[in-house]
Amino acid sequence: MMREYTAVLDRFEEETAVLLVEADGEAVDELLVHRQELPPSGREQGAVFELRVCGDSLRALSYRPTETEERTAASQSRFDRLAQDLPTADDSDERTDGGLPGGE
């Protein structure tokens, strides 16, 4: 029986690519493949792939550039929102006592 999954390139360990296999949006497994088995355009961290598996054997691995771009943009957007929420030295809760505990 052929099954399909989404996988994301997490990292490289020497010549091995570590793909995080997802089911229902959650990482459920890792798949190790040789770097050369990945399409050249998908050999970057965060690249998204479609996997086709039959039994325990990988049958097909397809790079999904549109999904990769969408996830990268969403991640950058989350980072930007979080960075905007960080307090700055100009915030109203700035200490006026030199910043030392107890006002010393």
Side-chain angles (χ1 to χ4, degrees):
M1 170 193 227
M2 189 74 70
R3 296 181 314 254
E4 292 185 6
Y5 298 95
T6 298
V8 179
L9 178 56
D10 184 55
R11 64 189 181 278
F12 288 103
E13 295 179 354
E14 297 180 19
E15 291 301 311
T16 301
V18 179
L19 300 172
L20 300 181
V21 180
E22 298 179 346
D24 298 321
E26 299 290 324
V28 295
D29 203 358
E30 285 187 357
L31 177 66
L32 306 178
V33 297
H34 193 277
R35 179 188 298 255
Q36 297 303 317
E37 291 182 57
L38 299 177
S41 56
R43 293 180 189 163
E44 61 184 45
Q45 188 175 8
V48 178
F49 298 89
E50 178 183 302
L51 302 176
R52 290 193 186 122
V53 179
C54 187
D56 290 336
S57 300
L58 175 63
R59 297 294 179 178
L61 179 67
S62 304
Y63 176 54
R64 298 290 185 221
T66 302
E67 291 177 49
T68 300
E69 290 173 17
E70 289 171 354
R71 286 187 184 213
T72 300
S75 178
Q76 184 63 50
S77 178
R78 282 191 304 274
F79 176 80
D80 291 345
R81 281 194 314 273
L82 290 171
Q84 289 175 355
D85 292 341
L86 293 175
T88 66
D90 295 333
D91 286 346
S92 62
D93 63 345
E94 180 178 333
R95 292 180 173 257
T96 57
D97 59 7
L100 295 175
E104 296 175 10

